Amino acid sequence: MSSKTHPAVCDPEALDRIFASFDQCRLPGAAVGVAIEGRPVYRRGFGLANMELPVLLTSATRMRIGSTTKHFAALAFMLLCEEGRASLDAEIGLYLPELHPANRAVSMRALLGHTAGLRDVFQVSMFMHGMGRVITDAELLEYYRTMDDREFSAGHGWSYNNGGYLLLSAAIERISGQSLEEVLEQRIFAPIGMYDTCLRRWETDFLSSSASLHMLDPQGRYTKATMGMELTGAGGVVSTMDDMLRWLSHMDAPRVGSPETWKQMRAPQPLANGTFTTYGFGLVPDRYRGVETLSHAGGVIGGNSQMIKVPAAGLDVSIAVNRADANSIDLAFRVIDACVPGLQPVPQARPDPRVYGMYRSARTGRVIEWVSLGDSPFIRVDGGMPMGLVPGEHGTWRLAPMFSFLGQAVRSDGTTLWFSEFGEQDTLERVTAVSEVRLGELAGCYTAASMHVQAHVFEEGGRVRLTTTGRFGEARYALTPLGAEVWQASALDPLSPLGGVLTFAPHGRGFTLNAERMRGVHFERAG
C-alpha cells in the first residue's frame, strides 16, 4: 500500500487533452515527462522542434530549461563546500576580489537564496541596452566592478537575481579551476546518467538533437530572436524531459550531494524582519491546492520550462516549450490537477471592480496597476509583467500559484492599496488620470555614472520618449504621464516586456527609476 497521502494516477488520454492544442506538425510545441514513484508513465512531444524542418519534438529532444539551471549551479557550489574548498558564509569578494566594495561584502548564502540585495545586472543590461545584445559573462561582471549601490541591505529583502548566479558561476570556476561546463558534467550530470544534458552558453553554436526557440513578432509571427547574452549558472542548461525525470527521481534519494546539502537546498531563507522566503538554493518549496511542491521554472526568449515534484503524490513533472506563446508552469499545474486526487478546490472569486486602477507609493515610488484581463484580476508592479491574483484572507489578494514564490499580496478599498512582500508593508494611493502634462524642464540628458548609462528624455512627433544608452547599445521607451513628475515607461522594442516608472526631482534635477527587479536607480542631470 502506498504511503503517499495523495497517490497519483495517470490517465494518458486526460493528459493528451491538456496538450491537444500543441498536437500538430506545423508549429513549435511542448515536450513532456511525467513519472509516478520514479517510474516514467507519460513521455511525449507535441509540435515541431524547428519550424524550418519536419522534425517533431520528443521527450528525448534537448530543450532549454532556463532558470531551472539555478539549482544545478547551487548544487555545484555546495559540492565544493562539502570538499572544504568553499563556504556558504564566505563573502563573494573572497573569490572575486576585483568587485566594487559595495558588491564584495555579501555572503554566498545570500547570493544562492536571492537575499543579497545586489543589483541584477541582467535586468540592468536588458533595460538599459535592450534585448538581443551579444554580451559575455565577463562584460556583465564589469558592472559589479563599478556599481556602487545596492537594492537593499543583505538579508533585509528578497529579489530574484540572475546577476547573483552570474557571480556564483564565476566563483565556481575560480575555486575549481574548471569551466562550469566541466564542473556540471563531471560532478552532476554524468554520475546521474544525464548524458543528453549540458551547459549551452550561446544560441549561435550547433548542438545535436536540439529544439529551436521561437519568439513572436508584433504581427504574431514566430521569429528567431534570442536574448543574446551568454548563459551560464543563471540559465544556460539544456536537457531532455527523459533526463529531467532521471534527475527528479534522483532527488528522492540523492547520490550526488550529502543529506545536509539537500536539506539546505530545500530550506526557505530567513529575513531580518523574522519572516522566511519561499526559496531555497535554486529550489522553490511551496504549496499548490493544499499539497507541498518543490520546483523551479525557467524562462528564455522564445521558450520556458517547469520542473516540479509533488512528494505527497509521488509525482514528478517536467515540461519544456519552445514557443513564446505557451506557459509550461500552467501546463504543469494542469497535469497535477489531472493526476492528483483530493486537491483543495481552486478559489473562485472576483474583486470589487472599484479596486481596479493605478496606485503609487509616495514613500517608495512603487507603482502598482490592478487590472482585469479576461475577467481575472492581475497586478503589474512597476511596469512589470501581469501577475494573476487569487483571493486570500480578510479581503487580501495574493499572487496566483504561478507567482506565489514572490511573496506578494495586495488589498484595496478603491482609494488606497496596501501592498505586502515578505512582511514588508507599503501604502499606495490611487493615481488620478491626467489629461495632459507638458514635459517642459524635465527634458534633457541624465546619467547614472556607476552604470555608465546616459538617459535622454525628449519629445518626438508630439510624443514623449526615453532613450537609454550604455556599454552595449541603446533602448527606447515611450513615456506616459501619471502626474507632473511621475512617468511610466513602456518599451518600444516589440520583443521586450520591460517597463518602469520614472519619478523626477523638482525642476528636472534628476530622476529615480523603478522597474520590475531594478529599484531606486538614480540618474542625475548631465551638464
Side-chain angles (χ1 to χ4, degrees):
M1 178 180 293
S2 172
S3 61
K4 305 298 182 183
T5 58
H6 294 72
V9 295
C10 178
D11 179 351
E13 292 184 357
L15 298 184
D16 284 346
R17 287 193 290 271
I18 294 172
F19 298 95
S21 64
F22 302 100
D23 192 8
Q24 38 70 45
C25 57
R26 61 185 183 86
L27 298 175
V32 188
V34 179
I36 297 176
E37 300 288 5
R39 181 175 65 87
V41 294
Y42 189 87
R43 300 162 50 247
R44 297 190 184 173
F46 303 90
L48 294 175
N50 185 310
M51 284 184 62
E52 294 179 313
L53 295 171
V55 178
L56 296 175
L57 287 169
T58 74
S59 61
T61 304
R62 284 176 165 143
M63 303 187 70
R64 282 218 176 265
I65 63 171
S67 287
T68 309
T69 298
K70 286 185 171 65
H71 79 296
F72 290 120
L75 177 58
F77 183 80
M78 296 296 288
L79 295 178
L80 294 173
C81 292
E82 289 181 14
E83 297 171 4
R85 302 172 66 185
S87 169
L88 281 171
D89 295 316
E91 295 179 352
I92 181 62
L94 176 64
Y95 310 119
L96 305 176
E98 69 272 22
L99 303 182
H100 189 282
N103 301 312
R104 281 203 300 261
V106 298
S107 70
M108 300 304 296
R109 185 187 303 276
L111 286 179
L112 269 66
H114 296 307
T115 63
L118 301 185
R119 295 207 177 276
D120 182 352
V121 294
F122 277 72
Q123 191 80 359
V124 168
S125 181
M126 287 189 291
F127 191 97
M128 301 303 180
H129 311 113
M131 309 291 284
R133 309 293 182 186
V134 177
I135 306 171
T136 67
D137 270 17
E139 288 172 322
L140 283 177
L141 279 170
E142 284 296 317
Y143 275 113
Y144 288 119
R145 294 179 185 234
T146 60
M147 287 192 302
D148 57 5
D149 67 340
R150 301 183 186 179
E151 298 274 337
F152 51 83
S153 298
H156 287 259
W158 185 91
S159 182
Y160 191 81
N161 194 320
N162 285 300
Y165 274 72
L166 170 74
L167 293 170
L168 172 65
S169 301
I172 290 170
E173 293 187 332
R174 293 275 182 95
I175 296 165
S176 67
Q178 296 178 291
S179 68
L180 187 60
E181 288 93 333
E182 294 171 321
V183 173
L184 294 175
E185 166 66 21
Q186 295 172 13
R187 296 168 179 260
I188 299 175
F189 300 149
I192 305 303
M194 300 172 67
Y195 299 119
D196 291 320
T197 302
C198 62
L199 185 70
R200 186 183 188 186
R201 294 176 184 250
W202 303 99
E203 285 297 304
T204 52
D205 61 358
F206 292 101
L207 184 64
S208 63
S209 302
S210 294
S212 298
L213 298 169
H214 299 80
M215 189 60 185
L216 288 172
D217 68 12
Q219 288 73 44
R221 298 172 302 200
Y222 291 106
T223 77
K224 297 180 180 180
T226 62
M227 183 179 294
M229 295 177 177
E230 183 176 5
L231 294 173
T232 50
V237 166
V238 295
S239 188
T240 68
M241 300 307 97
D242 291 341
D243 268 5
M244 291 304 296
L245 288 184
R246 293 184 183 96
W247 177 248
L248 285 162
S249 176
H250 163 266
M251 290 171 65
D252 291 328
R255 303 187 301 279
V256 175
S258 68
E260 179 59 26
T261 284
W262 279 97
K263 179 180 178 182
Q264 294 192 72
M265 292 268 292
R266 298 166 184 253
Q269 302 301 298
L271 296 177
N273 63 6
T275 64
F276 283 79
T277 71
T278 51
Y279 199 95
F281 295 159
L283 289 170
V284 179
D286 207 349
R287 300 186 71 83
Y288 174 70
R289 295 186 61 187
V291 294
E292 292 183 357
T293 60
L294 187 68
S295 67
H296 204 297
V300 290
I301 300 300
N304 53 80
S305 73
Q306 171 68 313
M307 174 199 80
I308 187 166
K309 296 180 71 69
V310 186
L315 180 68
D316 296 334
V317 181
S318 184
I319 300 174
V321 299
N322 65 334
R323 53 194 284 179
D325 57 344
N327 192 312
S328 57
I329 303 175
D330 177 66
L331 291 168
F333 285 144
R334 293 173 63 188
V335 169
I336 294 172
D337 293 341
C339 292
V340 182
L343 296 175
Q344 292 179 359
V346 178
Q348 299 291 332
R350 291 188 178 93
D352 186 327
R354 291 175 296 180
V355 305
Y356 294 134
M358 191 169 293
Y359 303 81
R360 180 177 180 271
S361 168
R363 179 174 64 88
T364 65
R366 178 183 283 116
V367 169
I368 294 178
E369 187 178 11
W370 195 338
V371 298
S372 176
L373 301 175
D375 292 331
S376 297
F378 288 77
I379 59 169
R380 292 188 181 96
V381 179
D382 289 329
M385 71 172 67
M387 298 181 293
L389 296 172
V390 295
E393 298 179 347
H394 310 299
T396 295
W397 290 76
R398 52 189 173 80
L399 294 182
M402 188 180 302
F403 306 102
S404 59
F405 70 96
L406 296 175
Q408 297 173 352
V410 293
R411 179 172 59 88
S412 175
D413 60 7
T415 301
T416 302
L417 182 144
W418 294 271
F419 174 81
S420 65
E421 184 176 37
F422 296 115
E424 298 298 320
Q425 307 293 323
D426 197 2
T427 302
L428 300 86
E429 300 300 328
R430 182 180 283 274
V431 176
T432 303
V434 293
S435 56
E436 183 179 353
V437 173
R438 300 281 305 231
L439 184 61
E441 60 186 349
L442 303 184
C445 292
Y446 301 81
T447 60
S450 71
M451 292 183 180
H452 298 281
V453 175
Q454 183 178 72
H456 184 201
V457 179
F458 60 100
E459 290 189 16
E460 180 182 70
R463 294 179 172 86
V464 180
R465 297 287 186 252
L466 165 70
T467 299
T468 54
T469 307
R471 291 168 170 161
F472 309 117
E474 177 184 282
R476 288 170 56 84
Y477 297 86
L479 291 183
T480 304
L482 302 180
E485 295 176 338
V486 183
W487 296 69
Q488 187 165 27
S490 303
L492 290 173
D493 180 351
L495 300 180
S496 174
L498 301 177
V501 176
L502 281 65
T503 302
F504 286 87
H507 310 296
R509 293 193 298 268
F511 68 82
T512 299
L513 170 66
N514 285 340
E516 185 177 7
R517 295 201 303 272
M518 186 174 63
R519 299 190 54 78
V521 179
H522 297 291
F523 284 78
E524 298 294 332
R525 170 78 70 168

